Amino acid sequence: MRIAIASDHAAVELKAALADWLRESGHDVDDLGPMTADRVDYPDFGYKLAEAVASGKAERGVALCGSGIGISIAVNRNPACRAALVSEPLSAALAREHNDANVLAMGARIIGPDMAKACLAAFLSTDFGGGRHADRVAKLSSRSLESLAL
C-alpha cells in the first residue's frame, strides 16, 4: 500500500520510526516531512498530507503532531479526507470499519512507538464495513454546512 506520512517538529522521531516500520512491512512510504526537529507549523504538513491522499498519490495517510489534534484538524479541512485521531488500536480499527477513515492521526506526546505501531497495524488491516455506514460516510464529503438544516 502507498502511505503518505507527515508530522510537525514534535513528532519527527515517531514519524521516522513509523516510516521505517511501514517500509519493513512492505509498504511504499512517502515521507512528506519535516526531516528535522526544527520548529514548523503543523497545518502546512497536514495540508500537504491531505493533498497527497485526496489526489490519490497515497492510499492512506499518517498524520502526527505533539497531541495529534492540530494536524488532524488541518487534514480534515480537505473534504476528501477523513482523519481519525486515535490513541489505541480499537479506535483505529473502528475508524476504518465505521468511518472509512483514510488518515490516521496520533499524538507523539500521548502515545509511544509501540502503541503507535499497534494503532497503525489495526488501521491498515481493517476494511471499511460499508452497509449502514456507507450513507453516513458519503454525507461527510457531500454536504456543506449551508445545506444542513440544524
Side-chain angles (χ1 to χ4, degrees):
M1 184 178 298
R2 183 149 179 86
I3 301 168
I5 188 167
S7 72
D8 71 355
H9 55 280
V12 167
E13 288 183 31
L14 180 59
K15 178 178 64 74
L18 292 177
D20 288 345
W21 180 77
L22 286 166
R23 286 184 187 103
E24 291 167 7
S25 300
H27 298 285
D28 186 8
V29 178
D30 188 8
D31 187 336
L32 302 176
M35 302 307 170
T36 70
D38 295 340
R39 187 190 168 283
V40 297
D41 294 327
Y42 61 80
D44 298 334
F45 292 90
Y47 296 153
K48 194 176 192 181
L49 177 66
E51 178 56 32
V53 173
S55 70
K57 291 179 183 173
E59 297 170 69
R60 299 277 188 278
V62 180
L64 308 164
C65 69
S67 67
I69 297 168
I71 202 163
S72 68
I73 292 170
V75 170
N76 279 323
R77 306 244 342 160
N78 187 314
C81 292
R82 292 171 303 282
L85 174 59
V86 306
S87 58
E88 41 71 36
L90 178 59
S91 293
L94 291 173
R96 284 286 310 130
E97 184 181 348
H98 292 187
N99 308 111
D100 198 19
N102 52 12
V103 177
L104 186 68
M106 296 180 283
R109 294 179 179 144
I110 308 298
I111 62 174
D114 290 337
M115 183 58 75
K117 289 174 188 175
C119 291
L120 192 46
F123 180 76
L124 295 175
S125 66
T126 304
D127 292 325
F128 177 47
R132 65 189 170 103
H133 304 291
D135 288 339
R136 296 171 185 156
V137 170
K139 288 180 180 183
L140 294 173
S141 296
S142 66
R143 295 187 70 177
S144 67
L145 290 177
E146 294 79 26
S147 69
L148 294 176
L150 299 177

